Amino acid sequence: MKALGMIETRGMVGAIEAVDVACKTADVEVLNRHLVKGGIVTVEIVGDVGAVKVAVEAAAEAVKRLGVYMGSHVIPRPTEEVYNMLEKKEVPTEKVVEEERIVELPEENEVIVEEIVDEVEAKPVVNRRDKTKK
């Protein structure tokens, strides 16, 4: 069974630094991240016991240098109940990309839009300020 490592920081910058250092130091995988009130962020990593211990120690040292370290802990072989308690959340990278992309209109809507644009362009623009009361 895999080991579970947790690193807690004040703010997202420290959490990102912790994950970066942990993943570069050893063969570990990010399981989850939790945003807690007050700006506290906890990241969870999993992997072989030795790899997780080394990764958490390196990440903790890096976060201490930033001055946002809150705590860290490694559970060598957690029970299944611990893993059941932790929900694995996927990072929404694809969802963010989908929200930013431009949605193309079907062809029948393009015709309607072109007709509306033609009507607007055909109407003369009247500046209401230029009108004087007689």
Side-chain angles (χ1 to χ4, degrees), residues 119-131:
E119 286 179 26
V120 171
E121 289 176 349
K123 291 182 182 180
V125 177
V126 177
N127 189 345
R128 294 184 183 193
R129 292 183 185 152
D130 290 342
K131 289 184 178 180

Side-chain angles (χ1 to χ4, degrees), residues 48-133:
D48 294 332
V49 177
V52 171
K53 283 183 179 180
V54 168
V56 167
E57 288 173 9
E61 287 302 315
V63 174
K64 285 177 185 176
R65 284 192 298 272
L66 289 177
V68 294
Y69 176 78
M70 297 281 300
S72 60
H73 187 64
V74 175
I75 302 174
R77 288 176 296 285
T79 63
E80 238 1 88
E81 287 78 19
V82 172
Y83 279 115
N84 292 338
M85 186 178 81
L86 305 173
E87 297 177 14
K88 180 166 175 128
K89 295 181 182 177
E90 297 296 325
V91 179
T93 53
E94 292 179 18
K95 187 175 183 181
V96 171
V97 171
E98 287 177 12
E99 290 174 1
E100 292 179 1
R101 81 176 169 200
I102 298 171
V103 179
E104 292 186 25
L105 296 173
E107 289 183 23
E108 64 267 5
N109 288 343
E110 289 177 7
V111 172
I112 294 171
V113 171
E114 288 175 8
E115 290 174 5
I116 293 171
V117 169
D118 290 341
E119 286 179 26
V120 171
E121 289 176 349
K123 291 182 182 180
V125 177
V126 177
N127 189 345
R128 294 184 183 193
R129 292 183 185 152
D130 290 342
K131 289 184 178 180
T132 57
K133 292 184 181 181

